[in-house]
Amino acid sequence: MKTRESFPIRINGVSLLIMLILMCITVFAVLSLVSANSEYKLSQKAAQTQADSYLADAHAQQKLMLAQQLAAQARGLSGDYLENLKTLLEQNGFGVVLRTGAVCASFTTESSGNFAVTAAICLYADGSASVESYSLKNISAELAQGDSSSLWGA
Amino acid sequence: MKNNERSKSAVFLIEFLITLAVFSLACVVALRLYAKADSLQDNALRTDCASTIAATVAQELFLSGEDEQTLADYCAAAQSVSDGYSLYFSDSCTRCGQSEAAYMAVFSVERTEGSPALLNTEISVYAVQSALSAQLNDEPVYTLTAARYYPQMEVEQ
C-alpha cells in the first residue's frame, strides 16, 4: 500500500529563524520610515509657521508706517491736528480712540496663514509716537486658545 | 536508495532557493524603506537648519537696520551677488567661510518707496552643493519675507 507523502518543503527551525529576522528588518524599516516622515512633516510645518508669522509681522509693520505717514499728512492740514488725524486714521480702517493730547489707533492685520498681528499705536500732538501693544496671534482653529507672543518685544 | 537521496537534495535546493529569494526580496524592500527614511530625515534637517538661518539673518538685518551705516557694514561683510548679498553657513547652521559652507543665504534689502523707514527683506536659503548655480536653477530650501519699520528714521528725515 502506498503511503501518503507529506509536503516536501518543511518549515523547520532555520526557516522560522529567517522569517523572524525578516520580520524584524521589515518592522524596523517601517518604523524608521514613519518616524522620518513625521519628523519631515513637523519641520515643514514649523518652517511654514515661521514664514507666516514673519509675513503677519511685515503687514503690521506696514500698518505702523501708514499710521505715522497719516500723522505727517494730518500735520500738513489746517484745523485741529488730532481731529484731522482721527479722521484720516478712521478712513484707513484703524480703530481710533481720542485721548488727551493723543490719538490712539489700533488694528488687526489680515491673517497670513494662521497668524495675525493686533497692535495699537498712540500718536501724540507733539509729533512723537509710541507702540502701546503689539501681539502676534495664532488664529488657527485648533490653536486659538489665546496663544500669542510678541515677535519683536515691542 | 540513490534516487531517494537525489530527490532529498533537490527538495533541499528548492527550499534553499525559495528562502534565498524571499530573504533577498525582503532585504530590497527594507533597504528602499531605509533609503526613503534617510532622505526624508535629511530633508527635515535641511528645512530646520534653513529656517533657523533665515530667522538669524532677518534678526541680524533688523538689528543693523536702525542705522544706515550699520546696515551698510552688515551688507558689506556679505558677498555681493546678482540679486542681493550672500552669507555662508555650516552644517551646524552657524556662519562660516565659503569653503566649509553647507548652506548659502541670499538676502535682498529694500527701503519702501516714499518711506525709507520701512526695511523690506527677502531671504532665500539654498543648499550649498548648488550654491554656484543656485539662483539660476535650483529651488531654495526655504524663503522668508520680512519687514521692519523704524519710526525714528522717519522723524530724523
Side-chain angles (χ1 to χ4, degrees), chain B residues 44-105:
Chain B
L45 279 176
R46 222 182 300 170
T47 310
D48 276 345
C49 199
S51 61
T52 306
I53 289 169
T56 306
V57 173
Q59 299 288 348
E60 286 176 356
L61 262 176
F62 291 152
L63 283 176
S64 328
E66 286 188 25
D67 172 58
E68 223 26 77
Q69 188 54 48
T70 320
L71 183 64
D73 290 346
Y74 184 80
C75 292
Q79 193 178 320
S80 186
V81 289
S82 60
D83 39 345
Y85 304 92
S86 68
L87 289 168
Y88 293 95
F89 289 82
S90 70
D91 262 336
S92 51
C93 320
T94 51
R95 284 274 279 280
C96 69
Q98 191 172 356
S99 52
E100 310 99 70
Y103 300 93
M104 179 176 81

Side-chain angles (χ1 to χ4, degrees), chain B residues 6-131:
Chain B
R6 199 176 286 171
S7 148
K8 269 186 179 172
S9 301
V11 167
F12 176 74
L13 186 66
I14 291 167
E15 189 181 330
F16 180 73
L17 286 176
I18 289 172
T19 310
L20 197 69
V22 171
F23 193 79
S24 309
L25 195 72
C27 281
V28 167
V29 171
L31 270 177
R32 287 187 65 136
L33 291 178
Y34 277 124
K36 176 87 179 153
D38 188 51
S39 132
L40 278 173
Q41 204 146 17
D42 260 8
N43 282 341
L45 279 176
R46 222 182 300 170
T47 310
D48 276 345
C49 199
S51 61
T52 306
I53 289 169
T56 306
V57 173
Q59 299 288 348
E60 286 176 356
L61 262 176
F62 291 152
L63 283 176
S64 328
E66 286 188 25
D67 172 58
E68 223 26 77
Q69 188 54 48
T70 320
L71 183 64
D73 290 346
Y74 184 80
C75 292
Q79 193 178 320
S80 186
V81 289
S82 60
D83 39 345
Y85 304 92
S86 68
L87 289 168
Y88 293 95
F89 289 82
S90 70
D91 262 336
S92 51
C93 320
T94 51
R95 284 274 279 280
C96 69
Q98 191 172 356
S99 52
E100 310 99 70
Y103 300 93
M104 179 176 81
V106 177
F107 64 92
S108 60
V109 180
E110 277 172 23
R111 297 283 189 189
T112 298
E113 211 174 307
S115 174
L118 188 73
L119 179 83
N120 295 296
T121 182
E122 186 171 298
I123 303 154
S124 300
V125 182
Y126 295 86
V128 99
Q129 292 93 321
S130 58

Side-chain angles (χ1 to χ4, degrees), chain A residues 62-71 73-74 84-96 105-108 110:
Chain A
Q62 284 168 354
K63 279 277 212 184
L64 288 177
M65 183 189 73
L66 177 64
Q68 292 256 33
Q69 282 176 340
L70 291 173
Q73 205 178 316
N84 290 337
L85 180 57
K86 182 175 178 274
T87 314
L88 283 173
L89 287 167
E90 278 170 347
Q91 283 169 356
N92 283 277
F94 288 89
V96 184
S106 61
F107 63 88
T108 300
E110 280 175 32

Side-chain angles (χ1 to χ4, degrees), chain A residues 41-64:
Chain A
K41 280 183 181 164
L42 187 67
S43 72
Q44 291 289 318
K45 206 170 176 179
Q48 189 56 47
T49 300
Q50 181 178 276
D52 286 346
S53 65
Y54 270 83
L55 199 60
D57 179 67
H59 290 154
Q61 297 285 324
Q62 284 168 354
K63 279 277 212 184
L64 288 177

Side-chain angles (χ1 to χ4, degrees), chain A residues 3 11 25 34 42 44 52 69 83 96 108 121 140 148 150:
Chain A
T3 53
I11 296 178
I25 289 174
V34 169
L42 187 67
Q44 291 289 318
D52 286 346
Q69 282 176 340
E83 278 299 328
V96 184
T108 300
I121 181 169
S140 69
S148 68
S150 173

Side-chain angles (χ1 to χ4, degrees), chain A residues 72-86:
Chain A
Q73 205 178 316
R75 236 170 279 138
L77 297 173
S78 58
D80 183 35
Y81 164 69
L82 292 179
E83 278 299 328
N84 290 337
L85 180 57
K86 182 175 178 274

Side-chain angles (χ1 to χ4, degrees), chain A:
Chain A
M1 201 173 128
K2 203 175 176 185
T3 53
R4 241 180 88 193
E5 279 186 23
S6 61
F7 187 64
I9 298 172
R10 291 146 298 157
I11 296 178
N12 52 26
V14 178
S15 306
L16 278 174
L17 187 69
I18 286 173
M19 279 202 292
L20 192 71
I21 291 169
L22 284 182
M23 262 171 64
C24 285
I25 289 174
T26 314
V27 166
F28 282 125
V30 170
L31 284 177
S32 150
L33 182 67
V34 169
S35 152
N37 192 41
S38 59
E39 208 171 301
Y40 175 71
K41 280 183 181 164
L42 187 67
S43 72
Q44 291 289 318
K45 206 170 176 179
Q48 189 56 47
T49 300
Q50 181 178 276
D52 286 346
S53 65
Y54 270 83
L55 199 60
D57 179 67
H59 290 154
Q61 297 285 324
Q62 284 168 354
K63 279 277 212 184
L64 288 177
M65 183 189 73
L66 177 64
Q68 292 256 33
Q69 282 176 340
L70 291 173
Q73 205 178 316
R75 236 170 279 138
L77 297 173
S78 58
D80 183 35
Y81 164 69
L82 292 179
E83 278 299 328
N84 290 337
L85 180 57
K86 182 175 178 274
T87 314
L88 283 173
L89 287 167
E90 278 170 347
Q91 283 169 356
N92 283 277
F94 288 89
V96 184
V97 176
L98 199 59
R99 288 190 196 161
T100 324
V103 173
C104 294
S106 61
F107 63 88
T108 300
T109 59
E110 280 175 32
S111 63
S112 62
N114 291 328
F115 290 93
V117 170
T118 303
I121 181 169
C122 282
L123 302 149
Y124 298 95
D126 61 1
S128 61
S130 68
V131 177
E132 297 292 299
S133 67
Y134 193 95
S135 66
L136 183 71
K137 282 191 170 37
N138 190 330
I139 52 167
S140 69
E142 65 272 23
L143 295 170
Q145 304 290 320
D147 178 20
S148 68
S149 60
S150 173
L151 196 61
W152 305 111

